[in-house]
mmCIF file of all heavy atoms in Angstrom:
data_model
loop_
_atom_site.group_PDB
_atom_site.id
_atom_site.type_symbol
_atom_site.label_atom_id
_atom_site.label_comp_id
_atom_site.label_asym_id
_atom_site.label_seq_id
_atom_site.Cartn_x
_atom_site.Cartn_y
_atom_site.Cartn_z
ATOM 1 N N SER B 43 31.719 41.626 -48.017
ATOM 2 C CA SER B 43 30.652 42.592 -48.288
ATOM 3 C C SER B 43 31.047 43.437 -49.497
ATOM 4 O O SER B 43 32.228 43.667 -49.749
ATOM 5 C CB SER B 43 30.391 43.481 -47.069
ATOM 6 O OG SER B 43 31.570 44.132 -46.710
ATOM 7 N N MET B 44 30.028 43.848 -50.241
ATOM 8 C CA MET B 44 30.252 44.741 -51.382
ATOM 9 C C MET B 44 30.183 46.171 -50.886
ATOM 10 O O MET B 44 29.421 46.455 -49.956
ATOM 11 C CB MET B 44 29.127 44.550 -52.400
ATOM 12 C CG MET B 44 29.316 43.408 -53.324
ATOM 13 S SD MET B 44 27.934 43.428 -54.469
ATOM 14 C CE MET B 44 28.524 42.270 -55.639
ATOM 15 N N VAL B 46 29.080 49.937 -51.782
ATOM 16 C CA VAL B 46 28.223 50.638 -52.744
ATOM 17 C C VAL B 46 28.108 52.125 -52.359
ATOM 18 O O VAL B 46 27.947 52.447 -51.170
ATOM 19 C CB VAL B 46 26.807 50.005 -52.783
ATOM 20 C CG1 VAL B 46 25.901 50.741 -53.765
ATOM 21 C CG2 VAL B 46 26.903 48.544 -53.175
ATOM 22 N N PRO B 51 19.563 57.920 -49.975
ATOM 23 C CA PRO B 51 19.504 56.806 -49.021
ATOM 24 C C PRO B 51 18.763 55.609 -49.621
ATOM 25 O O PRO B 51 17.764 55.795 -50.317
ATOM 26 C CB PRO B 51 18.735 57.385 -47.835
ATOM 27 C CG PRO B 51 18.716 58.845 -48.040
ATOM 28 C CD PRO B 51 18.843 59.107 -49.496
ATOM 29 N N PHE B 52 19.285 54.395 -49.352
ATOM 30 C CA PHE B 52 18.684 53.161 -49.864
ATOM 31 C C PHE B 52 18.301 52.258 -48.703
ATOM 32 O O PHE B 52 19.045 52.141 -47.723
ATOM 33 C CB PHE B 52 19.695 52.415 -50.743
ATOM 34 C CG PHE B 52 19.515 52.617 -52.225
ATOM 35 C CD1 PHE B 52 19.858 53.840 -52.801
ATOM 36 C CD2 PHE B 52 19.016 51.608 -53.042
ATOM 37 C CE1 PHE B 52 19.712 54.037 -54.173
ATOM 38 C CE2 PHE B 52 18.869 51.804 -54.396
ATOM 39 C CZ PHE B 52 19.206 53.018 -54.980
ATOM 40 N N LYS B 53 17.111 51.605 -48.849
ATOM 41 C CA LYS B 53 16.745 50.582 -47.868
ATOM 42 C C LYS B 53 17.132 49.232 -48.454
ATOM 43 O O LYS B 53 17.265 49.102 -49.666
ATOM 44 C CB LYS B 53 15.245 50.627 -47.589
ATOM 45 C CG LYS B 53 14.834 51.829 -46.769
ATOM 46 C CD LYS B 53 13.370 51.782 -46.443
ATOM 47 C CE LYS B 53 13.032 52.989 -45.566
ATOM 48 N NZ LYS B 53 11.605 53.210 -45.496
ATOM 49 N N VAL B 54 17.276 48.209 -47.577
ATOM 50 C CA VAL B 54 17.702 46.885 -48.043
ATOM 51 C C VAL B 54 16.738 46.317 -49.088
ATOM 52 O O VAL B 54 17.146 45.652 -50.055
ATOM 53 C CB VAL B 54 17.904 45.911 -46.848
ATOM 54 C CG1 VAL B 54 16.598 45.560 -46.150
ATOM 55 C CG2 VAL B 54 18.602 44.623 -47.328
ATOM 56 N N GLU B 55 15.434 46.616 -48.915
ATOM 57 C CA GLU B 55 14.423 46.110 -49.862
ATOM 58 C C GLU B 55 14.693 46.659 -51.275
ATOM 59 O O GLU B 55 14.494 45.967 -52.263
ATOM 60 C CB GLU B 55 13.002 46.492 -49.437
ATOM 61 C CG GLU B 55 12.453 45.692 -48.270
ATOM 62 C CD GLU B 55 13.082 46.087 -46.953
ATOM 63 O OE1 GLU B 55 13.569 47.235 -46.840
ATOM 64 O OE2 GLU B 55 13.116 45.230 -46.033
ATOM 65 N N GLU B 56 15.146 47.936 -51.295
ATOM 66 C CA GLU B 56 15.424 48.531 -52.611
ATOM 67 C C GLU B 56 16.602 47.837 -53.284
ATOM 68 O O GLU B 56 16.592 47.593 -54.493
ATOM 69 C CB GLU B 56 15.724 50.024 -52.450
ATOM 70 C CG GLU B 56 14.486 50.820 -52.048
ATOM 71 C CD GLU B 56 14.830 52.269 -51.739
ATOM 72 O OE1 GLU B 56 15.245 52.528 -50.580
ATOM 73 O OE2 GLU B 56 14.711 53.112 -52.639
ATOM 74 N N PHE B 57 17.627 47.503 -52.470
ATOM 75 C CA PHE B 57 18.752 46.737 -53.029
ATOM 76 C C PHE B 57 18.277 45.376 -53.519
ATOM 77 O O PHE B 57 18.682 44.897 -54.579
ATOM 78 C CB PHE B 57 19.851 46.546 -51.971
ATOM 79 C CG PHE B 57 20.677 47.778 -51.714
ATOM 80 C CD1 PHE B 57 20.738 48.355 -50.453
ATOM 81 C CD2 PHE B 57 21.422 48.356 -52.751
ATOM 82 C CE1 PHE B 57 21.508 49.481 -50.223
ATOM 83 C CE2 PHE B 57 22.194 49.493 -52.517
ATOM 84 C CZ PHE B 57 22.231 50.066 -51.251
ATOM 85 N N LYS B 58 17.398 44.738 -52.705
ATOM 86 C CA LYS B 58 16.920 43.385 -53.041
ATOM 87 C C LYS B 58 16.138 43.377 -54.350
ATOM 88 O O LYS B 58 16.140 42.369 -55.063
ATOM 89 C CB LYS B 58 16.050 42.824 -51.911
ATOM 90 C CG LYS B 58 16.857 42.252 -50.748
ATOM 91 C CD LYS B 58 15.960 41.642 -49.684
ATOM 92 C CE LYS B 58 16.791 41.064 -48.550
ATOM 93 N NZ LYS B 58 15.971 40.570 -47.454
ATOM 94 N N ILE B 64 21.232 39.824 -52.567
ATOM 95 C CA ILE B 64 21.585 40.765 -51.487
ATOM 96 C C ILE B 64 20.701 40.465 -50.279
ATOM 97 O O ILE B 64 19.469 40.392 -50.384
ATOM 98 C CB ILE B 64 21.411 42.219 -51.963
ATOM 99 C CG1 ILE B 64 22.436 42.492 -53.073
ATOM 100 C CG2 ILE B 64 21.574 43.207 -50.803
ATOM 101 C CD1 ILE B 64 22.129 43.686 -53.923
ATOM 102 N N SER B 65 21.343 40.219 -49.153
ATOM 103 C CA SER B 65 20.566 39.821 -47.975
ATOM 104 C C SER B 65 20.532 40.901 -46.890
ATOM 105 O O SER B 65 19.637 40.941 -46.072
ATOM 106 C CB SER B 65 21.140 38.531 -47.387
ATOM 107 O OG SER B 65 22.451 38.775 -46.929
ATOM 108 N N GLU B 66 21.510 41.790 -46.890
ATOM 109 C CA GLU B 66 21.631 42.731 -45.778
ATOM 110 C C GLU B 66 22.368 43.989 -46.262
ATOM 111 O O GLU B 66 23.250 43.879 -47.127
ATOM 112 C CB GLU B 66 22.473 42.060 -44.685
ATOM 113 C CG GLU B 66 22.212 42.538 -43.281
ATOM 114 C CD GLU B 66 23.116 41.788 -42.288
ATOM 115 O OE1 GLU B 66 23.336 40.569 -42.463
ATOM 116 O OE2 GLU B 66 23.612 42.456 -41.375
ATOM 117 N N SER B 67 21.988 45.144 -45.728
ATOM 118 C CA SER B 67 22.769 46.343 -46.067
ATOM 119 C C SER B 67 23.106 47.110 -44.790
ATOM 120 O O SER B 67 22.266 47.236 -43.897
ATOM 121 C CB SER B 67 21.978 47.230 -47.029
ATOM 122 O OG SER B 67 20.874 47.800 -46.376
ATOM 123 N N LEU B 68 24.341 47.562 -44.699
ATOM 124 C CA LEU B 68 24.784 48.319 -43.511
ATOM 125 C C LEU B 68 25.274 49.687 -43.993
ATOM 126 O O LEU B 68 26.192 49.774 -44.820
ATOM 127 C CB LEU B 68 25.950 47.598 -42.820
ATOM 128 C CG LEU B 68 25.663 46.204 -42.263
ATOM 129 C CD1 LEU B 68 26.969 45.526 -41.882
ATOM 130 C CD2 LEU B 68 24.750 46.325 -41.038
ATOM 131 N N GLU B 69 24.628 50.721 -43.485
ATOM 132 C CA GLU B 69 25.030 52.058 -43.918
ATOM 133 C C GLU B 69 26.266 52.500 -43.143
ATOM 134 O O GLU B 69 26.356 52.292 -41.922
ATOM 135 C CB GLU B 69 23.886 53.048 -43.700
ATOM 136 C CG GLU B 69 24.193 54.388 -44.327
ATOM 137 C CD GLU B 69 23.047 55.375 -44.206
ATOM 138 O OE1 GLU B 69 21.984 54.995 -43.676
ATOM 139 O OE2 GLU B 69 23.250 56.518 -44.614
ATOM 140 N N ILE B 70 27.220 53.044 -43.850
ATOM 141 C CA ILE B 70 28.435 53.542 -43.186
ATOM 142 C C ILE B 70 28.145 54.968 -42.704
ATOM 143 O O ILE B 70 27.591 55.787 -43.443
ATOM 144 C CB ILE B 70 29.634 53.521 -44.162
ATOM 145 C CG1 ILE B 70 29.926 52.064 -44.556
ATOM 146 C CG2 ILE B 70 30.859 54.170 -43.551
ATOM 147 C CD1 ILE B 70 30.889 51.894 -45.697
ATOM 148 N N PHE B 98 27.097 55.731 -48.274
ATOM 149 C CA PHE B 98 27.960 54.543 -48.410
ATOM 150 C C PHE B 98 27.307 53.346 -47.721
ATOM 151 O O PHE B 98 26.805 53.474 -46.595
ATOM 152 C CB PHE B 98 29.332 54.800 -47.756
ATOM 153 C CG PHE B 98 30.032 56.002 -48.345
ATOM 154 C CD1 PHE B 98 29.986 57.235 -47.701
ATOM 155 C CD2 PHE B 98 30.735 55.899 -49.542
ATOM 156 C CE1 PHE B 98 30.616 58.332 -48.233
ATOM 157 C CE2 PHE B 98 31.375 57.011 -50.078
ATOM 158 C CZ PHE B 98 31.319 58.230 -49.433
ATOM 159 N N TYR B 99 27.381 52.198 -48.429
ATOM 160 C CA TYR B 99 26.767 50.971 -47.872
ATOM 161 C C TYR B 99 27.703 49.772 -48.036
ATOM 162 O O TYR B 99 28.407 49.650 -49.043
ATOM 163 C CB TYR B 99 25.448 50.628 -48.589
ATOM 164 C CG TYR B 99 24.357 51.641 -48.334
ATOM 165 C CD1 TYR B 99 24.159 52.716 -49.215
ATOM 166 C CD2 TYR B 99 23.527 51.523 -47.225
ATOM 167 C CE1 TYR B 99 23.168 53.646 -48.994
ATOM 168 C CE2 TYR B 99 22.516 52.444 -46.995
ATOM 169 C CZ TYR B 99 22.344 53.513 -47.874
ATOM 170 O OH TYR B 99 21.365 54.423 -47.637
ATOM 171 N N ASN B 100 27.645 48.893 -47.031
ATOM 172 C CA ASN B 100 28.243 47.554 -47.159
ATOM 173 C C ASN B 100 27.099 46.578 -47.396
ATOM 174 O O ASN B 100 26.165 46.537 -46.576
ATOM 175 C CB ASN B 100 28.969 47.144 -45.874
ATOM 176 C CG ASN B 100 30.391 47.682 -45.846
ATOM 177 O OD1 ASN B 100 31.011 47.862 -46.884
ATOM 178 N ND2 ASN B 100 30.881 47.956 -44.636
ATOM 179 N N LEU B 101 27.165 45.811 -48.483
ATOM 180 C CA LEU B 101 26.088 44.846 -48.772
ATOM 181 C C LEU B 101 26.570 43.415 -48.504
ATOM 182 O O LEU B 101 27.643 43.023 -48.964
ATOM 183 C CB LEU B 101 25.650 44.948 -50.234
ATOM 184 C CG LEU B 101 25.079 46.275 -50.706
ATOM 185 C CD1 LEU B 101 24.570 46.137 -52.146
ATOM 186 C CD2 LEU B 101 23.933 46.727 -49.804
ATOM 187 N N LYS B 102 25.724 42.653 -47.753
ATOM 188 C CA LYS B 102 26.028 41.230 -47.501
ATOM 189 C C LYS B 102 25.211 40.396 -48.486
ATOM 190 O O LYS B 102 24.090 40.778 -48.836
ATOM 191 C CB LYS B 102 25.638 40.833 -46.066
ATOM 192 C CG LYS B 102 26.375 41.594 -44.989
ATOM 193 C CD LYS B 102 27.624 40.855 -44.606
ATOM 194 C CE LYS B 102 28.349 41.604 -43.480
ATOM 195 N NZ LYS B 102 29.657 41.029 -43.236
ATOM 196 N N LEU B 103 25.796 39.227 -48.854
ATOM 197 C CA LEU B 103 25.097 38.344 -49.804
ATOM 198 C C LEU B 103 24.544 37.105 -49.091
ATOM 199 O O LEU B 103 24.958 36.784 -47.970
ATOM 200 C CB LEU B 103 26.052 37.918 -50.924
ATOM 201 C CG LEU B 103 26.725 39.064 -51.687
ATOM 202 C CD1 LEU B 103 27.641 38.517 -52.777
ATOM 203 C CD2 LEU B 103 25.675 39.998 -52.312
#
Side-chain angles (χ1 to χ4, degrees):
Chain B
S43 57
M44 277 183 168
V46 179
F52 261 73
K53 288 184 178 165
V54 68
E55 285 73 25
E56 291 174 276
F57 284 120
K58 280 183 179 175
I64 294 162
S65 64
E66 207 180 321
S67 69
L68 298 168
E69 189 176 357
I70 296 169
F98 302 99
Y99 293 93
N100 275 330
L101 299 186
K102 299 269 182 189
L103 305 180

